[in-house]
Amino acid sequence: MAASAFPLFPAGAIPAHLWLDGAFVPWHDATVHVTAMGAGAGVAVFEGIRAYGSGDGEALNVFRLHEHLERLLDSMTMMRMPLHHSADDLAAATIELLRRNEARGDTYIRPVAYYSGLEHNSFGDTLGAPPSLLIWNRPTGTQLLTERGKHVSISSWTRIADNQMPPRIKAMSNYQNNRLAQLDARVSGYDDTIMLTATGKVAEAPGACVFLVRRGEVITPSVTSGILESITRDAIIRLCRERLGLTVIEREVDRTELYVADEIFCCGTAAEVTPVLSVDRIAARAGGMGPVTRQLDRLYHDVVRRIDEGYAEWRTEVERA
Ligand SMILES: *Cc1c(COP(=O)(O)O)cnc(C)c1O
């Protein structure tokens, strides 16, 4: 079992600063009082964004920065958090943070909107109150262009639903659902898991959307199948259609379709493109990383690093200081 073969954050330098409510604050000064945690716990939405070094090493390319920040604002709206920064303001703050921290190589960026103030003693106190906004970055690793793959189970834990804890909100608290499912799978000897909706349709893996390839078509659960509206998923759909000329179908997906798929892979900012080698110990028919997955691994790698000049609107370039 290769639980965390690729840590998101390799041991290494902590950046000098983070951005907190409009100011650049020394990393170690950005603390929350212990008594605030009771009121603030769980009331937080976030984004995970990656910036990749360009092919020539001259710049960092933040992948789909604006789409991520728009989704943060969407998450805040759905959580009844007043918006007090625009996506443009947050994009400018992110770029300035990367410059100040002299981010060089592949970097992970985490914006968070949360309540931590001592004045918020109950959930009601947060009504109409602007949350704190935080952006931090750290060096990260990448799995793109490596031989890899996961053996996954189908979880007995059901994916949360829109009328309970909406998966469309990128909320910290939603991750308890993923966490229970993932740890359960690991205890049972799997690398990871895929969750089903309450009606038994495929939803997603913890923090990553699911695709399968069958009879030459690419299929992925629709945005009403208990998934987060993943920005990587959108990029993969477009690369499949526009670069590989493949038919992509967004619809409800049955568990047993995964058993007879030629290829299965997951995608997301953290997961990038992750091949799934088996589901419930039934091997995907391609055996190893299949041909479509391999082409997407290469294409995604080349686009995020601007080796492939296409999709320029997906990259915000931050030149080295
Ligand atoms: C962030 C996330 C994803 C991946 O979304 P991207 O926009 O591709 O990073 C998938 N599922 C969940 C639950 C997530 O929180």
Side-chain angles (χ1 to χ4, degrees):
M1 143 169 101
S4 293
F6 295 90
L8 191 54
F9 305 119
I14 296 289
H17 294 98
L18 48 75
W19 184 92
L20 178 57
D21 290 329
F24 293 94
V25 177
W27 182 279
H28 292 287
D29 291 353
T31 56
V32 173
H33 194 268
V34 285
T35 63
M37 293 305 288
V43 193
V45 296
F46 72 104
E47 278 300 320
I49 309 171
R50 277 185 192 257
Y52 288 91
S54 60
D56 58 13
E58 289 303 309
L60 266 187
N61 301 287
V62 188
F63 189 62
R64 306 194 75 171
L65 175 61
H66 220 85
E67 291 94 324
H68 278 283
L69 296 172
E70 292 288 356
R71 190 173 64 190
L72 179 74
L73 300 184
D74 286 352
S75 289
M76 291 173 69
T77 298
M78 291 182 277
M79 289 283 268
R80 298 186 183 278
M81 292 174 165
L83 309 182
H84 52 299
H85 294 277
S86 68
D88 285 344
D89 291 348
L90 297 175
T94 304
I95 292 163
E96 177 61 18
L97 179 70
L98 294 176
R99 288 217 177 96
R100 283 196 185 223
N101 282 335
E102 296 175 356
R104 293 264 186 267
D106 297 349
T107 300
Y108 182 87
I109 303 156
R110 165 65 59 88
V112 192
Y114 63 101
Y115 291 109
S116 65
L118 296 178
E119 71 277 23
H120 302 132
N121 294 308
S122 69
F123 292 140
D125 292 343
T126 62
L127 195 60
S132 284
L133 259 164
L134 167 69
I135 307 171
W136 56 257
N137 71 287
R138 283 185 71 168
T140 188
T142 177
Q143 303 175 53
L144 293 169
L145 303 189
T146 64
E147 287 305 315
R148 60 200 186 279
K150 283 182 166 181
H151 297 282
V152 310
S153 63
I154 297 293
S155 187
S156 57
W157 291 96
T158 299
R159 183 69 180 136
I160 50 177
D162 192 60
N163 61 349
Q164 303 163 334
M165 296 184 74
R168 183 167 287 100
I169 307 176
K170 201 168 174 80
M172 296 280 188
S173 44
N174 286 357
Y175 269 74
Q176 297 315 314
N177 180 237
N178 298 335
R179 180 176 173 276
L180 285 173
Q182 189 173 61
L183 296 192
D184 180 62
R186 294 215 178 141
V187 165
S188 305
Y190 295 93
D191 300 317
D192 213 334
T193 194
I194 291 174
M195 303 186 75
L196 305 180
T197 66
T199 54
K201 303 299 178 183
V202 175
E204 58 171 48
C209 287
V210 178
F211 284 76
L212 64 107
V213 184
R214 188 171 180 221
R215 297 183 185 131
E217 288 175 340
V218 179
I219 303 164
T220 191
S222 60
V223 293
T224 51
S225 296
I227 69 165
L228 183 88
E229 293 176 343
S230 151
I231 292 163
T232 317
R233 171 185 177 279
D234 175 74
I236 293 292
I237 289 172
R238 287 192 55 191
L239 291 173
C240 283
R241 286 181 180 150
E242 296 166 15
R243 289 298 186 85
L244 302 181
L246 295 168
T247 300
V248 182
I249 305 165
E250 299 176 62
R251 62 162 172 78
E252 286 190 332
V253 174
D254 281 333
R255 169 187 195 151
T256 47
E257 290 182 273
L258 299 174
Y259 292 169
V260 292
D262 297 316
E263 298 178 43
I264 306 161
F265 62 90
C266 293
C267 78
T269 297
E272 301 175 306
V273 177
T274 300
V276 173
L277 305 177
S278 70
V279 176
D280 289 340
R281 305 283 179 218
I282 299 176
R285 289 182 171 168
M289 200 190 306
V292 172
T293 311
R294 195 173 292 281
Q295 288 179 82
L296 288 169
D297 185 36
R298 167 63 66 182
L299 258 177
Y300 187 72
H301 170 272
D302 288 357
V303 167
V304 297
R305 291 203 189 285
R306 195 168 49 84
I307 293 166
D308 184 324
E309 299 273 348
Y311 302 96
E313 68 279 13
W314 288 354
R315 292 180 298 267
T316 300
E317 199 168 300
V318 183
E319 272 159 38
R320 285 187 170 184

